[in-house]
Amino acid sequence: MRVQVDANQCQGHGLCQMTSPDVFALRDEDGHAYPIAEEVDGALVDAARDGADACPERAISLK
Ligand code: SF4
C-alpha cells in the first residue's frame, strides 16, 4: 500500500504520528507529517489506516 501526505492539507497536528509512529514522522522544520516509508505492507497497513483515520484534515491518502 502506498502512503502519501498532502503537504498543502497537512496542518501539523501530529495526530497521525501519535497514532502510528511506525508509519508517520514529523519534519523538524515545519512540523508537517511525512510517511517513513512510502510503501507499507503487513502490520503497517493497519497502522497506516489508523493514522489516516486520525487525521482531521484528511491529508493522508492510501492506495
Ligand atoms: S494528522 Fe494530518 S494534519 Fe496532522 S500532522 Fe498528520 S497528516 Fe498532518
mmCIF file of all heavy atoms in Angstrom, residues 5 9-17 26 31-33 51 54-60, ligand 1:
data_model
loop_
_atom_site.group_PDB
_atom_site.id
_atom_site.type_symbol
_atom_site.label_atom_id
_atom_site.label_comp_id
_atom_site.label_asym_id
_atom_site.label_seq_id
_atom_site.Cartn_x
_atom_site.Cartn_y
_atom_site.Cartn_z
ATOM 1 N N VAL A 5 1.170 11.937 2.036
ATOM 2 C CA VAL A 5 0.648 13.053 2.831
ATOM 3 C C VAL A 5 0.621 14.284 1.937
ATOM 4 O O VAL A 5 1.638 14.659 1.353
ATOM 5 C CB VAL A 5 1.524 13.325 4.073
ATOM 6 C CG1 VAL A 5 1.009 14.534 4.836
ATOM 7 C CG2 VAL A 5 1.552 12.107 4.981
ATOM 8 N N GLN A 9 -2.523 20.172 2.591
ATOM 9 C CA GLN A 9 -3.627 19.947 3.531
ATOM 10 C C GLN A 9 -3.138 19.741 4.956
ATOM 11 O O GLN A 9 -3.855 20.043 5.906
ATOM 12 C CB GLN A 9 -4.442 18.723 3.099
ATOM 13 C CG GLN A 9 -5.394 19.000 1.958
ATOM 14 C CD GLN A 9 -6.194 17.760 1.618
ATOM 15 O OE1 GLN A 9 -5.837 17.009 0.719
ATOM 16 N NE2 GLN A 9 -7.250 17.543 2.350
ATOM 17 N N CYS A 10 -1.937 19.221 5.100
ATOM 18 C CA CYS A 10 -1.406 18.919 6.435
ATOM 19 C C CYS A 10 -1.221 20.207 7.230
ATOM 20 O O CYS A 10 -0.617 21.159 6.752
ATOM 21 C CB CYS A 10 -0.064 18.190 6.322
ATOM 22 S SG CYS A 10 0.693 17.866 7.928
ATOM 23 N N GLN A 11 -1.758 20.197 8.461
ATOM 24 C CA GLN A 11 -1.645 21.362 9.342
ATOM 25 C C GLN A 11 -0.722 21.102 10.526
ATOM 26 O O GLN A 11 -0.631 21.932 11.436
ATOM 27 C CB GLN A 11 -3.034 21.772 9.845
ATOM 28 C CG GLN A 11 -3.989 22.188 8.735
ATOM 29 C CD GLN A 11 -3.480 23.389 7.958
ATOM 30 O OE1 GLN A 11 -3.060 24.382 8.557
ATOM 31 N NE2 GLN A 11 -3.496 23.313 6.637
ATOM 32 N N GLY A 12 -0.087 19.930 10.527
ATOM 33 C CA GLY A 12 0.910 19.648 11.554
ATOM 34 C C GLY A 12 0.362 19.336 12.929
ATOM 35 O O GLY A 12 1.046 19.531 13.931
ATOM 36 N N HIS A 13 -0.870 18.834 12.996
ATOM 37 C CA HIS A 13 -1.431 18.472 14.307
ATOM 38 C C HIS A 13 -0.632 17.351 14.962
ATOM 39 O O HIS A 13 -0.603 17.255 16.192
ATOM 40 C CB HIS A 13 -2.882 17.999 14.165
ATOM 41 C CG HIS A 13 -3.777 18.970 13.475
ATOM 42 N ND1 HIS A 13 -4.072 20.196 14.010
ATOM 43 C CD2 HIS A 13 -4.447 18.895 12.308
ATOM 44 C CE1 HIS A 13 -4.886 20.834 13.190
ATOM 45 N NE2 HIS A 13 -5.125 20.065 12.144
ATOM 46 N N GLY A 14 -0.079 16.477 14.136
ATOM 47 C CA GLY A 14 0.731 15.379 14.664
ATOM 48 C C GLY A 14 -0.066 14.163 15.108
ATOM 49 O O GLY A 14 0.495 13.228 15.671
ATOM 50 N N LEU A 15 -1.371 14.162 14.884
ATOM 51 C CA LEU A 15 -2.183 13.031 15.351
ATOM 52 C C LEU A 15 -1.816 11.744 14.627
ATOM 53 O O LEU A 15 -1.874 10.659 15.211
ATOM 54 C CB LEU A 15 -3.676 13.347 15.159
ATOM 55 C CG LEU A 15 -4.187 14.487 16.041
ATOM 56 C CD1 LEU A 15 -5.617 14.842 15.661
ATOM 57 C CD2 LEU A 15 -4.119 14.098 17.499
ATOM 58 N N CYS A 16 -1.457 11.846 13.366
ATOM 59 C CA CYS A 16 -1.056 10.644 12.620
ATOM 60 C C CYS A 16 0.191 10.027 13.247
ATOM 61 O O CYS A 16 0.275 8.806 13.428
ATOM 62 C CB CYS A 16 -0.819 10.980 11.153
ATOM 63 S SG CYS A 16 0.435 12.270 10.901
ATOM 64 N N GLN A 17 1.136 10.858 13.606
ATOM 65 C CA GLN A 17 2.391 10.369 14.191
ATOM 66 C C GLN A 17 2.150 9.799 15.586
ATOM 67 O O GLN A 17 2.733 8.788 15.956
ATOM 68 C CB GLN A 17 3.416 11.505 14.210
ATOM 69 C CG GLN A 17 4.819 11.072 14.582
ATOM 70 C CD GLN A 17 5.073 11.098 16.066
ATOM 71 O OE1 GLN A 17 4.405 11.807 16.807
ATOM 72 N NE2 GLN A 17 6.026 10.316 16.519
ATOM 73 N N LEU A 26 7.234 13.532 11.794
ATOM 74 C CA LEU A 26 7.022 14.975 11.584
ATOM 75 C C LEU A 26 8.347 15.639 11.243
ATOM 76 O O LEU A 26 9.370 15.355 11.878
ATOM 77 C CB LEU A 26 6.427 15.612 12.840
ATOM 78 C CG LEU A 26 5.101 15.016 13.336
ATOM 79 C CD1 LEU A 26 4.667 15.732 14.611
ATOM 80 C CD2 LEU A 26 4.017 15.121 12.280
ATOM 81 N N GLY A 31 7.057 20.839 11.138
ATOM 82 C CA GLY A 31 6.115 20.046 11.925
ATOM 83 C C GLY A 31 5.116 19.273 11.098
ATOM 84 O O GLY A 31 4.219 18.634 11.648
ATOM 85 N N HIS A 32 5.245 19.330 9.786
ATOM 86 C CA HIS A 32 4.309 18.611 8.934
ATOM 87 C C HIS A 32 4.732 17.144 8.814
ATOM 88 O O HIS A 32 5.906 16.791 8.984
ATOM 89 C CB HIS A 32 4.221 19.271 7.557
ATOM 90 C CG HIS A 32 3.461 20.560 7.582
ATOM 91 N ND1 HIS A 32 3.080 21.241 6.452
ATOM 92 C CD2 HIS A 32 2.992 21.289 8.626
ATOM 93 C CE1 HIS A 32 2.424 22.336 6.786
ATOM 94 N NE2 HIS A 32 2.363 22.395 8.098
ATOM 95 N N ALA A 33 3.738 16.316 8.519
ATOM 96 C CA ALA A 33 3.964 14.873 8.511
ATOM 97 C C ALA A 33 4.494 14.385 7.167
ATOM 98 O O ALA A 33 4.248 14.996 6.123
ATOM 99 C CB ALA A 33 2.660 14.156 8.826
ATOM 100 N N GLY A 51 -3.597 5.763 11.220
ATOM 101 C CA GLY A 51 -3.047 7.116 11.157
ATOM 102 C C GLY A 51 -3.854 8.015 10.243
ATOM 103 O O GLY A 51 -4.107 9.177 10.561
ATOM 104 N N ALA A 54 -6.998 9.110 11.827
ATOM 105 C CA ALA A 54 -6.786 10.068 12.909
ATOM 106 C C ALA A 54 -6.582 11.494 12.404
ATOM 107 O O ALA A 54 -6.651 12.438 13.190
ATOM 108 C CB ALA A 54 -5.577 9.647 13.744
ATOM 109 N N CYS A 55 -6.339 11.653 11.107
ATOM 110 C CA CYS A 55 -6.039 12.988 10.566
ATOM 111 C C CYS A 55 -7.306 13.809 10.371
ATOM 112 O O CYS A 55 -8.147 13.455 9.548
ATOM 113 C CB CYS A 55 -5.302 12.863 9.232
ATOM 114 S SG CYS A 55 -4.983 14.486 8.504
ATOM 115 N N PRO A 56 -7.454 14.907 11.111
ATOM 116 C CA PRO A 56 -8.662 15.732 10.971
ATOM 117 C C PRO A 56 -8.729 16.494 9.653
ATOM 118 O O PRO A 56 -9.788 16.988 9.274
ATOM 119 C CB PRO A 56 -8.580 16.689 12.168
ATOM 120 C CG PRO A 56 -7.131 16.741 12.503
ATOM 121 C CD PRO A 56 -6.551 15.415 12.142
ATOM 122 N N GLU A 57 -7.592 16.618 8.958
ATOM 123 C CA GLU A 57 -7.558 17.357 7.696
ATOM 124 C C GLU A 57 -7.742 16.452 6.484
ATOM 125 O O GLU A 57 -7.777 16.939 5.350
ATOM 126 C CB GLU A 57 -6.226 18.096 7.566
ATOM 127 C CG GLU A 57 -5.868 18.995 8.734
ATOM 128 C CD GLU A 57 -6.849 20.134 8.940
ATOM 129 O OE1 GLU A 57 -7.461 20.556 7.953
ATOM 130 O OE2 GLU A 57 -7.004 20.580 10.085
ATOM 131 N N ARG A 58 -7.812 15.144 6.718
ATOM 132 C CA ARG A 58 -7.908 14.185 5.605
ATOM 133 C C ARG A 58 -6.756 14.404 4.621
ATOM 134 O O ARG A 58 -6.951 14.386 3.405
ATOM 135 C CB ARG A 58 -9.254 14.287 4.893
ATOM 136 C CG ARG A 58 -10.404 13.841 5.757
ATOM 137 C CD ARG A 58 -10.426 12.339 5.903
ATOM 138 N NE ARG A 58 -11.369 11.841 6.898
ATOM 139 C CZ ARG A 58 -11.014 11.213 8.023
ATOM 140 N NH1 ARG A 58 -9.763 11.012 8.300
ATOM 141 N NH2 ARG A 58 -11.918 10.770 8.865
ATOM 142 N N ALA A 59 -5.581 14.618 5.179
ATOM 143 C CA ALA A 59 -4.401 14.909 4.350
ATOM 144 C C ALA A 59 -3.681 13.656 3.890
ATOM 145 O O ALA A 59 -2.768 13.741 3.067
ATOM 146 C CB ALA A 59 -3.443 15.803 5.141
ATOM 147 N N ILE A 60 -4.065 12.500 4.437
ATOM 148 C CA ILE A 60 -3.343 11.263 4.138
ATOM 149 C C ILE A 60 -4.142 10.430 3.148
ATOM 150 O O ILE A 60 -5.335 10.194 3.349
ATOM 151 C CB ILE A 60 -3.115 10.460 5.437
ATOM 152 C CG1 ILE A 60 -2.267 11.272 6.409
ATOM 153 C CG2 ILE A 60 -2.457 9.112 5.123
ATOM 154 C CD1 ILE A 60 -2.226 10.714 7.808
HETATM 155 S S1 SF4 B 1 -2.737 14.304 11.456
HETATM 156 FE FE1 SF4 B 1 -2.979 15.075 9.340
HETATM 157 S S2 SF4 B 1 -2.748 17.273 9.545
HETATM 158 FE FE2 SF4 B 1 -1.924 16.366 11.388
HETATM 159 S S3 SF4 B 1 0.288 16.077 11.009
HETATM 160 FE FE3 SF4 B 1 -0.748 14.188 10.410
HETATM 161 S S4 SF4 B 1 -1.161 14.445 8.208
HETATM 162 FE FE4 SF4 B 1 -0.733 16.456 9.035
#
